[in-house]
Amino acid sequence: MTQGTQGKGATTSTLWDRTRRLATQEILQTALRLFTQQGYDETTIAQIAREAGVSQRTLFRYFGTKEDLIGGSEEQFVTLLTETVRKQPADAGAWEALRAAFKAALSLHTSPEQALERFRLVHHTDSLRAAYLGKRVRCQEQLLPVLEARLAPSGMDRGQARAIVATAFACFDAATATWLEGNGQGDILDLYDQGLAAVRG
């Protein structure tokens, strides 16, 4: 009886997770299509929900804000980056750990085409651009103690750790801008490596 109950519970959980993932993807795809066709500011949550076949209440259960439909929630983004840096091998340097974090963030996009559309929207929509910059600054501050702990054995202080984090994010933004100018040609991480190499000499 116990085993049967556990099996049923596991199946129910799996079905619920699959349903949630499918609903999330449908909402994201619908939102991205409408944002691209009409513009981010011109598209309403009500329209997205209607075309995705869900209620606004359901949409907000999956996505806390309209901005989350483009870049995901800030909490999830920060957690992904900080945990990725924290889980890197002890002998991995700060630059290597941060690169791994950016790679993890890019893996959230289901395809290069989707990434291209999302980055275009962020770079060409003032409200999204401002929101991204604010998120980036807050994320850097959350990453700071994690990176500071990694750098401690080398004798680097908080100010130096902050400079490394800021430089890495600046190079990532530069790589993204270059990638957009090239209409998605090449690899963002390769462009990031090139930019970082130029900065570090």
Side-chain angles (χ1 to χ4, degrees):
M1 179 69 70
T2 303
Q3 290 180 344
T5 301
Q6 290 178 338
K8 184 177 180 179
T11 301
T12 302
S13 177
T14 300
L15 289 173
W16 187 88
D17 290 340
R18 187 181 302 124
T19 300
R20 180 185 176 89
R21 285 196 299 270
L22 289 173
T24 298
Q25 284 302 312
E26 179 63 27
I27 293 169
L28 284 173
Q29 290 171 6
T30 300
L32 188 58
R33 173 174 58 80
L34 292 173
F35 291 155
T36 301
Q37 292 174 349
Q38 303 175 171
Y40 174 81
D41 292 325
E42 292 74 17
T43 302
T44 66
I45 287 293
Q47 185 180 13
I48 295 169
R50 183 173 62 252
E51 296 211 15
V54 299
S55 67
Q56 292 186 56
R57 181 177 180 180
T58 296
L59 190 151
F60 279 122
R61 188 163 66 242
Y62 294 146
F63 302 94
T65 67
K66 186 179 176 182
E67 292 167 4
D68 290 351
L69 289 163
I70 294 296
S73 75
E74 181 172 329
E75 181 181 356
Q76 291 174 336
F77 182 69
V78 169
T79 299
L80 174 65
L81 294 187
T82 55
E83 287 304 307
T84 300
V85 170
R86 186 177 285 114
K87 291 177 181 178
Q88 295 309 298
D91 59 350
W95 299 110
E96 184 180 350
L98 287 169
R99 186 186 190 278
F102 292 135
K103 183 177 181 179
L106 288 171
S107 71
L108 295 175
H109 300 286
T110 57
S111 69
E113 293 76 20
Q114 185 190 78
L116 185 62
E117 292 300 332
R118 285 182 173 177
F119 281 128
R120 276 177 176 161
L121 283 167
V122 171
H123 278 256
H124 299 302
T125 306
D126 289 343
S127 57
L128 287 174
R129 182 70 173 167
Y132 166 74
L133 292 174
K135 179 189 291 186
R136 190 189 74 173
V137 170
R138 291 187 293 273
C139 185
Q140 288 177 206
E141 289 302 307
Q142 292 291 324
L143 272 169
L144 186 57
V146 181
L147 197 69
E148 190 177 8
R150 182 172 290 271
L151 290 168
S154 64
M156 288 193 179
D157 60 23
R158 190 174 184 83
Q160 291 169 306
R162 180 175 278 115
I164 289 175
V165 174
T167 300
F169 271 85
C171 288
F172 183 78
D173 285 347
T176 301
T178 301
W179 188 69
L180 285 174
E181 286 180 354
N183 199 32
Q185 295 298 309
D187 183 84
I188 293 179
L189 283 178
D190 288 342
L191 295 170
Y192 168 79
D193 291 338
Q194 294 167 18
L196 188 60
V199 171
R200 297 182 66 191

